[in-house]
Amino acid sequence: MRVNVTVNGETVAADDVWEGESLLYVLRERLGLPGAKNACEQGECGSCTVYLDDTAVCACLVAAGQAEGRTVRTVEGIAGAGALHPIQQAFLEAGAVQCGFCTPGLIVAVHDLLERNPDPSDPDIREALAGNLCRCTGYEHIIAAVKQVAAR
């Protein structure tokens, strides 16, 4: 089947998509957008977090056909052309990026949090990031990055 979707502002079509294929697979393998990571494939780690019609979702849990005619924004669509988004810059400055595997999903989750709550408390931040697993940082630098960007 063909899936027509608007990704990061551009209308695209993915051909020969099979019925059980995930949105994550389509984004990474068919559309060449490697930002969303393939880790658990069970919606537990958050590494594949993207926006689907302005709602943050785990792309591994969304059947590609469910995206037909809808809008997807990936971590690649968060930043402006040639410049880092303030969240990405804060992650770098706070040392919140180590191996980087979880970072794209965390960036989208933080973006979603700050869109809903521009001045989050520590518990708000921890709750918003609860669906994103990181094996490297211990989360303190990530939380510091969120506070840093929220303060701007």
Side-chain angles (χ1 to χ4, degrees):
M1 83 176 143
R2 171 178 267 188
V3 176
N4 299 290
V5 61
T6 300
V7 180
N8 299 329
E10 181 182 342
T11 302
V12 295
D15 289 320
D16 299 322
V17 175
W18 58 278
E19 293 175 8
E21 203 164 298
S22 70
L23 175 59
L24 176 61
Y25 186 87
V26 168
L27 291 171
R28 289 182 57 80
E29 305 301 329
R30 295 187 184 277
L31 301 179
L33 295 168
K37 302 298 184 220
N38 186 2
C40 74
E41 295 187 50
Q42 297 176 1
E44 296 291 329
C45 72
S47 294
C48 65
T49 304
V50 299
Y51 283 109
L52 181 61
D53 291 337
D54 296 321
T55 300
V57 300
C58 291
C60 70
L61 297 179
V62 177
Q66 289 178 288
E68 173 65 34
R70 297 173 77 182
T71 301
V72 174
R73 186 164 38 148
T74 68
V75 70
E76 291 94 343
I78 298 275
L84 294 176
H85 187 279
I87 296 169
Q88 294 168 315
Q89 187 63 45
F91 266 60
L92 288 175
E93 291 170 5
V97 177
Q98 289 191 14
C99 85
F101 198 82
C102 67
T103 305
L106 281 163
I107 296 291
V108 175
V110 170
H111 186 271
D112 184 55
L113 166 65
L114 296 176
E115 288 288 308
R116 293 180 288 108
N117 181 357
D119 188 24
S121 65
D122 277 10
D124 293 335
I125 296 168
R126 290 178 188 279
E127 182 177 340
L129 300 183
N132 294 79
L133 300 179
C134 175
R135 294 182 178 200
C136 300
T137 66
Y139 300 96
E140 293 307 315
H141 293 289
I142 295 167
I143 293 167
V146 177
K147 289 179 180 179
Q148 181 179 329
V149 75
R152 293 181 184 162

